[in-house]
Amino acid sequence: MDESDVRELLGRVEDPDLGDDLVSLGLVNAVAVEDGVAKVSLALGAPYAPSESTIAAEVREVLGDAGLDVELTAKLPSASRDDEVLPGVKNVIAVASGKGGVGKSTVAVNLAAGLSKLGARVGLFDTDVYGPNVPRMLGAEDPPTATDDDTIVPPERFGVKLVSMAFMVGEDDPVIWRGPMVHQVLTQLVEDVEWGELDYLVLDLPPGTGDTQLTILQTLPLTGAVIVTTPEEVAVDDARKGIRMFGKHDTNVLGLVENMSSFVCPDCGGEHDVFGSGGGRGLAEANGLPYLGGVPLDPEIRTGTEPMVLTDGNPTADAFRVVTEGVANNVGVVNRRRVSNP
């Protein structure tokens, strides 16, 4: 068999999200056949995303059934992303909310840990200069170290590399800075941190649509954003503003998470809609966005010693895993769509 035969076989593999075959979509970077081995490079860029794992498995099956051994690699064309900023990071995901108190940091922490559990190389950047609390949520007590040339080496917790302003200031010291100072510090942290090679860098943004968000949007090559809200109208109103903010800066919204969607009483087993119901799903549908799922209000999230997504046999952990897989899949959709529609 030769290259054209292999490409014909690859034309039988459908992309489950884009609705066409890999060849027609332009997702085959290169093909070579040597001594019965098909070496195939695909334009896939969301490591451990279920859909892309399925695509890879189908490629191996189709070529294997034709009697070929397969060497499969995945790489997005360099033109599809900005390689100058964070060159070792494949995907940058912002987790945002319109208002505080909706559990955005909880979602960011569990998303990062969930991606790591899938097998991905993950970093978590706590960009909330004024109220950084991600290290506490991860039980991260070891501060960053520095190399001989003064670059920052982030500590690692639950397989996630972590950077936060909480490491830079005293535990009880308030940060009282104007916007330009915030911009300077965030930019410096991006440039001076030795992230290494990452599949995903998750950014925990502060609530709202202020200076930090503007700096991130203007500085970093975001793959997309995840919006977090709770069901009640006040939170939904502010989440809508976050959606508009990313839209004005041509940033893909990967989906919406409804946190604290319900509460199951541990004593009676009854389910209660403490903050109402359906607000997150309704907002997603009204804006044509993916609904990534609802996460229950669970006291164990507050009292646990590790991210809930790492727990087995727990409905809340299952909900976080659904969110994680949905985000990874939608990262893949964004990347493959860029390749197929340059």
Side-chain angles (χ1 to χ4, degrees):
M1 299 186 74
D2 58 17
E3 177 184 340
S4 62
D5 295 323
V6 172
R7 288 186 177 273
E8 182 179 349
L9 291 171
L10 293 174
R12 303 176 187 176
V13 180
E14 295 280 324
D15 185 306
D17 303 300
L18 300 187
D20 209 339
D21 69 88
L22 302 184
V23 176
S24 299
L25 290 168
L27 299 179
V28 180
N29 295 325
V31 173
V33 182
E34 298 178 6
D35 300 325
V37 178
K39 299 179 180 180
V40 179
S41 173
L42 298 178
L44 305 180
Y48 301 95
S51 287
E52 294 201 352
S53 296
T54 297
I55 290 172
E58 290 185 4
V59 167
R60 293 182 187 280
E61 182 179 355
V62 166
L63 297 182
D65 288 346
L68 292 167
D69 292 327
V70 183
E71 290 183 11
L72 191 61
T73 58
K75 183 179 181 181
L76 292 174
S78 58
S80 68
R81 71 180 304 277
D82 182 358
D83 286 327
E84 293 184 6
V85 182
L86 297 171
V89 179
K90 293 181 179 178
N91 299 287
V92 183
I93 304 169
V95 179
S97 67
K99 69 187 297 295
V102 299
K104 167 189 52 58
S105 294
T106 298
V107 172
V109 164
N110 279 276
L111 172 60
L115 290 168
S116 177
K117 184 176 183 179
L118 289 176
R121 298 166 298 178
V122 184
L124 177 57
F125 186 3
D126 181 4
T127 70
D128 192 345
V129 170
Y130 299 109
N133 50 31
V134 167
R136 177 182 292 277
M137 299 175 74
L138 284 170
E141 299 178 355
D142 296 329
T145 57
T147 64
D148 293 338
D149 57 357
D150 293 328
T151 57
I152 299 170
V153 179
E156 190 169 315
R157 185 75 169 153
F158 300 111
V160 176
K161 294 181 178 180
L162 173 64
V163 166
S164 172
M165 271 298 297
F167 294 133
M168 316 298 174
V169 298
E171 184 175 349
D172 298 321
D173 294 336
V175 176
I176 307 173
W177 291 343
R178 294 187 184 276
M181 186 65 175
V182 173
H183 174 87
Q184 180 181 342
V185 168
L186 288 174
T187 303
Q188 186 172 353
L189 282 175
V190 169
E191 295 173 349
D192 292 348
V193 174
E194 205 169 88
W195 289 110
E197 298 292 323
L198 294 181
D199 297 313
Y200 302 94
L201 176 60
V202 178
L203 309 179
D204 179 28
L205 301 188
T209 55
D211 292 323
T212 299
Q213 287 82 353
L214 186 59
T215 294
I216 295 298
L217 286 165
Q218 293 176 341
T219 304
L220 300 185
L222 293 183
T223 307
V226 175
I227 304 292
V228 182
T229 186
T230 44
E232 79 275 15
E233 290 184 8
V234 171
V236 169
D237 287 344
D238 289 339
R240 189 178 294 111
K241 296 174 185 176
I243 293 171
R244 300 289 183 270
M245 174 186 69
F246 288 112
K248 288 183 177 180
H249 287 83
D250 297 323
T251 299
N252 292 284
V253 176
L254 302 170
L256 193 140
V257 178
E258 184 182 270
N259 196 27
M260 308 182 199
S261 59
S262 63
F263 171 68
V264 177
C265 176
D267 297 324
C268 68
E271 185 170 344
H272 308 277
D273 295 325
V274 179
F275 297 104
S277 64
R281 183 186 292 275
L283 179 63
E285 292 175 352
N287 288 273
L289 298 174
Y291 179 64
L292 295 167
V295 178
L297 179 62
D298 190 335
E300 287 191 33
I301 294 176
R302 177 180 61 83
T303 59
T305 57
E306 64 179 27
M308 178 63 74
V309 71
L310 303 179
T311 304
D312 293 324
N314 181 288
T316 304
D318 292 340
F320 277 125
R321 282 190 280 271
V322 168
V323 168
T324 299
E325 293 181 359
V327 171
N329 271 335
N330 291 343
V331 166
V333 171
V334 167
N335 287 333
R336 300 197 305 278
R337 188 173 285 142
R338 283 174 179 164
V339 175
S340 62
N341 299 295

